[in-house]
Amino acid sequence: MEDPPLASLSLTHVHYNPADRISYLCAWLALVPQGLCVVYATLIWSNREIEIFLMFAGQMACEALNWVLKRYIKEDRPREMHGKGYGMPSSHAQFVSFFSVTLTLFLLFRHVPHPTETHTPFTFGGRFLLSLIAIACAGAVASSRIYLSYHTNKQVLVGCAAGAIFAFVWFGFTTYLRRAGWIEWALETWILRILRVRDLVVQEDLVDSGWARWEDRRKRQASFRVQGKKSK
């Protein structure tokens, strides 16, 4: 008996023109959502920040919304597309739009880091510039879907709009949870206490997280070495 033909894992199988460098770049841009999911998982595991939990939950809810919209609208992809499934709205565009807009809202309206003895956090201008970069990168990912003929202009624009609108809705919802005390209540539950979930990133710069403790330890170790040399 002959072996059955091999199949391609469609999750990361992206068609592009190997003779076109822009097409090759767009194929890599198509992997950005998967990369962001790895970033989410890494930050959640390493930092245990409730804000990152909330953002990831909103990201998954946005994906669920895209799944529903595609099966409700039932608009086909462009004819040049070799893949399967509906194309309205673009899931890539909706994913990166939600991420960039949510990150922008957090950096500009919720994140108020305080300077410490060892670190000066980004100014508002720096956070604004970072937000612009995030939005520009999202635009590049969304545009790549048109260039690769995976979606029409309209499908990408609707995806961007759906992601941005849902980002504002989710940000408003999480703002309500904070002001109503639900986040503080959740952080006191036994399961989040066991998982050591915390809420520091709103007022503490991630770059400075743990740095003061590290600097203090280095100073103590240096002091011990100096004292050891003097005792000899």
Side-chain angles (χ1 to χ4, degrees):
M1 295 179 63
E2 295 183 358
D3 293 332
L6 299 178
S8 172
L9 183 62
S10 60
L11 179 65
T12 58
H13 191 63
V14 183
H15 292 92
Y16 69 96
N17 181 2
D20 185 350
R21 292 184 178 180
I22 298 179
S23 181
Y24 179 69
L25 173 61
C26 289
W28 280 101
L29 288 174
L31 302 179
V32 167
Q34 288 92 331
L36 287 176
C37 286
V38 173
V39 171
Y40 272 123
T42 303
L43 289 176
I44 288 173
W45 176 256
S46 60
N47 291 305
R48 314 293 176 95
E49 284 285 341
I50 189 68
E51 187 68 24
I52 301 175
F53 274 100
L54 292 172
M55 188 172 177
F56 183 64
Q59 192 80 70
M60 292 299 98
C62 189
E63 282 293 286
L65 174 63
N66 181 266
W67 188 89
V68 172
L69 289 175
K70 279 188 174 181
R71 281 148 187 80
Y72 177 76
I73 300 173
K74 296 182 179 180
E75 182 173 300
D76 293 330
R77 295 176 183 268
R79 293 182 178 179
E80 299 85 356
M81 170 58 194
H82 302 287
K84 301 178 181 179
Y86 299 119
M88 172 65 84
S90 165
S91 59
H92 276 72
Q94 188 168 330
F95 188 105
V96 294
S97 178
F98 175 87
F99 176 83
S100 61
V101 173
T102 302
L103 180 62
T104 297
L105 292 172
F106 170 74
L107 289 175
L108 300 184
F109 299 104
R110 185 174 293 171
H111 187 47
V112 285
H114 301 306
T116 65
E117 296 180 358
T118 59
H119 179 71
T120 300
F122 275 168
T123 62
F124 182 85
R127 298 199 300 275
F128 181 77
L129 179 60
L130 183 59
S131 300
L132 291 180
I133 294 174
I135 292 174
C137 291
V141 174
S143 299
S144 72
R145 307 305 289 169
I146 300 173
Y147 195 89
L148 293 174
S149 299
Y150 274 79
H151 293 282
T152 64
N153 292 357
K154 183 176 68 173
Q155 290 170 353
V156 167
L157 288 174
V158 172
C160 289
I165 292 172
F166 191 79
F168 277 97
V169 171
W170 188 258
F171 188 79
F173 174 64
T174 56
T175 299
Y176 161 75
L177 292 180
R178 285 187 172 279
R179 292 180 177 176
W182 287 105
I183 298 299
E184 185 177 352
W185 171 84
L187 289 170
E188 294 298 326
T189 59
W190 65 271
I191 186 169
L192 294 193
R193 294 285 295 172
I194 291 176
L195 294 175
R196 297 193 175 186
V197 178
R198 50 186 181 264
D199 189 23
L200 293 175
V201 72
V202 172
Q203 295 183 332
E204 180 179 286
D205 196 291
L206 277 177
V207 176
D208 196 45
S209 179
W211 182 257
R213 294 192 299 274
W214 167 246
E215 284 292 282
D216 184 60
R217 180 185 298 178
R218 289 179 67 250
K219 291 178 181 178
R220 289 201 306 269
Q221 290 175 345
S223 177
F224 290 151
R225 286 195 293 269
V226 171
Q227 293 177 1
K229 291 179 179 179
K230 289 181 178 180
S231 62
K232 293 179 180 180

